[in-house]
Amino acid sequence: MKLDEALDLIAEVPDFPEPGVLFRDLSPLFADGPGFAAVADALAETLDPAATSVAGVEARGFLLAAAVGYSRGMGVVLVRKPGKLPSVAGRVDYSLEYGTASVELPAGVVKPGQRIAIMDDVLATGGTVAATAKLLEDAGAEVTGVSVVLELGALNGRAALGGRKVHTLRTV
């Protein structure tokens, strides 16, 4: 399947999770084998050659990072929502386009000097990715870049990322 066809599988859900928000649902894309493969392959191509691991943000970022990590023989760092880890290396709170949230890094999975690419489904305001980058860097890692399936250009999430390399498969 061609990448554009795969990206066309993303559904738009108005007024979710609250009125006025247009949610991009990647569930139909993940459910389509050839579509998911096309997206995973395209994301893998965006990785900086210096990256040694991929960080996925809960929950859809897990799927993407795992697929890319597997295809490239790379480890996957799972950045979690609070309350899911028995041992936490760090926590960062941040703002979303419709609220606030937090992410945590498992203790003992990131080593100083490790080069990690961040992977997520959607770049909106940039809060989730910026918080993930801070977690990784606080643990001594180097963030080599950010790769996302979809960027919501009007929300200017890149501005929150401090000039980091950002690769997106589609901007809307």
Side-chain angles (χ1 to χ4, degrees):
M1 176 179 286
K2 293 182 179 177
L3 181 59
D4 281 340
E5 293 174 88
L7 295 172
D8 287 344
L9 295 170
I10 299 169
E12 294 183 345
V13 182
D15 299 321
F16 183 82
E18 65 182 44
V21 174
L22 180 60
F23 183 79
R24 277 22 183 244
D25 185 8
L26 276 70
S27 297
L29 169 62
F30 291 133
D32 186 277
F36 184 42
V39 165
D41 290 344
L43 287 171
E45 291 298 319
T46 68
L47 294 179
D48 185 312
T52 57
S53 300
V54 181
V57 183
E58 190 169 347
R60 292 171 299 273
F62 285 4
L63 299 170
L64 298 164
V68 170
Y70 175 78
S71 76
R72 292 295 172 104
M74 301 168 84
V76 178
V77 175
L78 303 177
V79 177
R80 305 294 311 263
K81 295 176 182 174
K84 308 255 178 136
L85 297 169
S87 183
V88 177
R91 175 184 173 137
V92 174
D93 301 318
Y94 62 97
S95 296
L96 294 164
E97 61 272 27
Y98 48 82
T100 60
S102 303
V103 288
E104 295 180 340
L105 183 66
V109 299
V110 173
K111 296 172 182 43
Q114 192 171 352
R115 295 179 176 140
I116 303 176
I118 298 172
M119 193 147 301
D120 206 2
D121 61 335
V122 178
L123 176 63
T125 62
T128 304
V129 172
T132 299
K134 180 167 177 27
L135 279 175
L136 296 170
E137 290 168 347
D138 286 352
E142 174 191 337
V143 174
T144 62
V146 175
S147 298
V148 298
V149 176
L150 196 63
E151 180 177 0
L152 307 180
L155 297 179
N156 197 24
R158 288 176 186 248
L161 303 182
R164 297 180 192 286
K165 290 186 243 177
V166 177
H167 304 277
T168 182
L169 301 184
R170 179 176 280 174
T171 301
V172 294

